[in-house]
Each structure stands twice: as structure tokens, then as C-alpha cells.
């Protein structure tokens, strides 16, 4: 059983920064790929970034160099630091966990949090 609860989000001006957090709880020692999806208004879900058990990361081209994904040493909190935000970054951001390594990270398979709104104007 896995649970994810996001916090953070809100409104920010273009060029600003915002940090999202996600509390991740599980009841086994299985490994999980952790990451973030987003969905802008009228758009499809998009995988934004992932972080593997060994700390290796992947970023979508649209956020590479601006966003940073990290987690604490116990893998209980996931973070997304978003810098140089643009209006096109406005979306509902959802943290997610997928069993195993980050070989594939898909909306339909991942266990997801409730999502948090980020608005950039």
C-alpha cells in the first residue's frame, strides 16, 4: 500500500521559483521510481521528471535545467524545485510512484497523489 500527499504550489510571477513537496509512505521495502507529472489546461498528462532509488534523475526537455527533483535520505519526502518559471509551466502537478526502477513512468500505472495547482503569470 502506497500513499502520496503533495504540498506547496500556488501562484507565482514568471521568472519566479516555487517548491513542491510530496510525502511518500509505503508499508514494504520494495523499491519505487518517484516522480512528477503535470497537466496543463486542455493538455495531456506529461511526465516532468523522475528520480530512481539510486538517485539518478531524468527530466523532460521542457524543464531540464530549470527544475530539480530530489528526495530525502529515507525516501519519505520528494521535492520539486522549480526555477525560472514560465506561464506554460502552469498546470496541476502530481507526484507519483511506480514500483521498480524508472524504466517507464506512466500516468496509468503509477500510484498518484491528489495534485496541486501551480499558476505562473
Amino acid at each position: 500500500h502506497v500513499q502520496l500527499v503533495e504540498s506547496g504550489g500556488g501562484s507565482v510571477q514568471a521568472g519566479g521559483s516555487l517548491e513542491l513537496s510530496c510525502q511518500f509512505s509505503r508499508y514494504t521495502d520494495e523499491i519505487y521510481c518517484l516522480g512528477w507529472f503535470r497537466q496543463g489546461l486542455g493538455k495531456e498528462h506529461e511526465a516532468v521528471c523522475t528520480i530512481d532509488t539510486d538517485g539518478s534523475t531524468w527530466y523532460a526537455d521542457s524543464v531540464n535545467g530549470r527544475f530539480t527533483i530530489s528526495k530525502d535520505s529515507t525516501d519519505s519526502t520528494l521535492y520539486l524545485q522549480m526555477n525560472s518559471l514560465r506561464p506554460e509551466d502552469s498546470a496541476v502537478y502530481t507526484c507519483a510512484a511506480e514500483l521498480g526502477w524508472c524504466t517507464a513512468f506512466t500516468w496509468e500505472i503509477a500510484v498518484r497523489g491528489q495534485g496541486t495547482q501551480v499558476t505562473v503569470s
Side-chain angles (χ1 to χ4, degrees), residues 11 16 20 28-30 44 48 52-54 61-62 68 75 82 89-90 95 119-120:
S11 297
L20 306 181
T28 68
D29 291 331
E30 294 171 314
E44 298 290 324
V48 176
D52 237 321
T53 296
D54 63 358
D61 289 343
S62 57
T68 302
D75 285 9
M82 303 182 291
D89 294 318
S90 297
C95 66
T119 302
V120 185

Side-chain angles (χ1 to χ4, degrees), residues 45-110:
H45 292 106
E46 173 190 18
V48 176
C49 52
T50 61
I51 185 165
D52 237 321
T53 296
D54 63 358
S56 57
T57 57
W58 167 86
Y59 297 93
D61 289 343
S62 57
V63 306
N64 196 22
R66 300 187 298 121
F67 289 15
T68 302
I69 187 172
S70 62
K71 56 183 180 173
D72 68 1
S73 59
T74 62
D75 285 9
S76 62
T77 306
L78 181 68
Y79 302 98
L80 180 62
Q81 177 66 42
M82 303 182 291
N83 298 326
S84 302
L85 282 161
R86 305 166 180 168
E88 55 264 38
D89 294 318
S90 297
V92 175
Y93 285 74
T94 304
C95 66
E98 195 167 301
L99 187 63
W101 294 90
C102 293
T103 54
F105 192 65
T106 56
W107 177 261
E108 292 77 9
I109 295 175

